[in-house]
């Protein structure tokens, strides 16, 4: 029944082996990229501070609101800093 011509020749084994290596390489690359994406630049260093730095394109008001939402600053400090940002002065005391 399957005596001659129904098994893989030398090229068939080569293609199958190459395909298996490419499959595992793609699977490992996908896993590494997924891990890097999930543990991306918004990591913390254990003290609650972000090690990734500010993301580009974010306004100072958004960064301040994020700090307030995380609990880094209280409501009074948030409102005071927001007033300073919107007024355009460099220091809260009014002296540039």
């Amino acid at each position: 029944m399957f005596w001659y011509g129904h098994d893989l020749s030398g090229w068939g084994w080569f293609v199958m082996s190459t395909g298996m290596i490419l499959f595992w390489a793609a699977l490992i690359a996908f896993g590494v990229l997924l891990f890097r994406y999930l543990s991306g630049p918004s990591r913390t260093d254990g003290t609650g501070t972000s090690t990734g730095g500010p993301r580009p394109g974010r306004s100072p008001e958004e960064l301040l609101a994020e700090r307030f939402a995380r609990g880094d600053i209280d409501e009074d400090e948030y409102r005071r800093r927001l007033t300073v940002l919107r007024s355009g002065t460099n220091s809260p005391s009014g002296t540039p």
Side-chain angles (χ1 to χ4, degrees), residues 19-38:
M20 183 63 72
I21 290 170
L22 291 176
F23 169 76
W24 284 108
L27 191 64
I28 291 170
F30 176 75
V32 168
L33 290 175
L34 182 66
F35 176 76
R36 290 183 67 188
Y37 174 76
L38 292 176

Side-chain angles (χ1 to χ4, degrees), residues 18-83:
T18 304
M20 183 63 72
I21 290 170
L22 291 176
F23 169 76
W24 284 108
L27 191 64
I28 291 170
F30 176 75
V32 168
L33 290 175
L34 182 66
F35 176 76
R36 290 183 67 188
Y37 174 76
L38 292 176
S39 66
S42 63
R43 291 181 295 220
T44 58
D45 59 2
T47 62
T49 59
S50 176
T51 59
R55 288 182 247 159
R58 299 189 58 196
S59 70
E61 286 90 2
E62 289 175 341
L63 293 173
L64 187 62
E66 183 179 325
R67 288 187 62 203
F68 177 61
R70 278 196 315 251
D72 293 343
I73 57 176
D74 61 354
E75 184 178 355
D76 293 331
E77 186 174 356
Y78 170 74
R79 292 192 188 282
R80 190 185 56 189
R81 289 182 183 217
L82 190 61
T83 304

